[in-house]
Amino acid sequence: MERRVAEPLRAALGPLGLEPHAFKVGWYNAVLQPAFHLPYPDDTLAFVILSTPSMFEKALKPFVKKERSKIIRDPVDQCVSYHLSRVKEKFPDQRVEVMFDYEILPSRRPKFLAQTAAHVAGAAYYYQRKDVKLDPWGKKKIYGVCIHPKYGGWFAIRGLLLFPDIQVRFMEQPAPVDCVSTEEKRIELLEQFNFHWQDGRYRDIIEVKERYSEEQRAYFATPPAERFRLLGLTQ
């Protein structure tokens, strides 16, 4: 059943620079405290959706051109929302629920933990403080970061698609690729991400196959309120 959903999803999202990765809700809930659980049975089929470097050219710019008059908040969020809503139409006989990375619950918690979802789906490895044996940070707060085996840090986790009526009992869990495998590199990655994230060096912690274009880097480096101007939009 997973394949019958995954194939049309890949066919629809791949040309837009979006990558769907399947997982079972139980894999996600198993590694989190109950407060963060997704409220579905363990065998429920879900997909975490990543945006790759080509999404900017393949999806965002055409979307902005076509929907110029309707863009009122963040163009990337609206673009992803538009395409994931259209994907739902490919499954007219299924309930499909969409969650976006920026959505929060009334409790102020995020609707889902994006990096955990990417890790359990085998999409990208979520490097955390616990992955370092000799921790050099003492009492400092250290945030974890996902690294993709092909794009390094040049990607983003955009949302989840959940299929509440599809139960997949025999799906095998893929392990994410541990591409930052040495202690030194992991320390370097977490140092760069936590203390120098603005310069983006953490994104190149591994040899990458593709990274953001100059135009895309300039776009994401610009404060959100000024991004409209870069895409030729007036706010």
Side-chain angles (χ1 to χ4, degrees):
M1 189 64 196
E2 179 254 326
R3 197 169 292 164
R4 291 222 306 269
V5 178
E7 283 169 6
L9 263 187
R10 283 192 202 104
L13 296 176
L16 300 165
L18 296 170
E19 268 185 14
H21 293 265
F23 68 98
K24 283 170 40 161
V25 164
W27 302 347
Y28 173 91
N29 287 349
V31 296
L32 291 170
Q33 296 164 333
F36 292 101
H37 285 186
L38 292 169
Y40 301 90
D42 281 355
D43 289 335
T44 305
L45 178 63
F47 290 82
V48 62
I49 311 297
L50 311 185
S51 63
T52 72
S54 66
M55 189 273 281
F56 193 79
E57 289 293 332
K58 290 177 175 174
L60 182 67
K61 286 168 82 174
F63 171 78
V64 165
K65 209 169 180 179
K66 185 164 160 282
E67 304 287 324
R68 183 177 294 268
S69 62
K70 297 181 190 160
I71 295 175
I72 46 169
R73 41 170 219 280
D74 186 278
V76 173
D77 289 348
Q78 274 186 260
C79 171
V80 172
S81 171
Y82 170 81
H83 287 297
L84 294 190
S85 301
R86 289 195 65 189
V87 156
K88 283 172 73 170
E89 294 162 16
K90 297 201 175 295
F91 304 97
D93 304 327
Q94 294 294 345
R95 256 193 321 148
V96 187
E97 310 218 344
V98 187
M99 291 181 189
F100 297 103
D101 63 303
Y102 51 83
E103 290 186 293
I104 53 172
L105 296 163
S107 64
R108 309 298 298 162
R109 282 204 174 100
K111 272 199 173 178
F112 75 100
L113 299 181
Q115 302 202 98
T116 301
H119 186 94
V120 300
Y125 200 107
Y126 184 22
Y127 290 97
Q128 300 175 73
R129 188 174 195 155
K130 64 182 173 60
D131 295 307
V132 171
K133 290 187 189 74
L134 296 168
D135 182 325
W137 299 295
K139 289 193 167 70
K140 285 179 186 162
K141 174 89 174 147
I142 298 294
Y143 293 96
V145 60
C146 270
I147 295 295
H148 191 286
K150 186 176 171 189
Y151 308 118
W154 300 100
F155 77 102
I157 304 156
R158 299 292 177 189
L160 287 190
L161 289 175
L162 290 129
F163 291 79
D165 302 327
I166 299 180
Q167 304 295 303
V168 282
R169 284 180 58 202
F170 301 112
M171 203 167 122
E172 204 168 309
Q173 184 170 8
V177 179
D178 179 6
C179 47
V180 187
S181 51
T182 70
E183 178 89 350
E184 295 74 27
K185 276 286 180 197
R186 288 178 182 188
I187 290 171
E188 187 186 333
L189 169 66
L190 293 174
E191 286 271 334
Q192 287 181 1
F193 179 69
N194 280 273
F195 309 120
H196 310 284
W197 61 268
Q198 290 99 329
D199 64 24
R201 278 181 301 153
Y202 78 90
R203 298 178 189 270
D204 286 313
I205 194 73
I206 60 165
E207 197 69 42
V208 298
K209 305 274 192 303
E210 202 183 330
R211 50 172 69 85
Y212 292 174
S213 63
E214 285 302 324
E215 183 185 8
Q216 188 172 179
R217 284 189 224 187
Y219 177 81
F220 286 117
T222 301
E226 293 163 34
R227 291 175 183 173
F228 287 81
R229 195 172 40 80
L230 288 184
L231 291 172
L233 297 165
T234 46
Q235 205 168 345

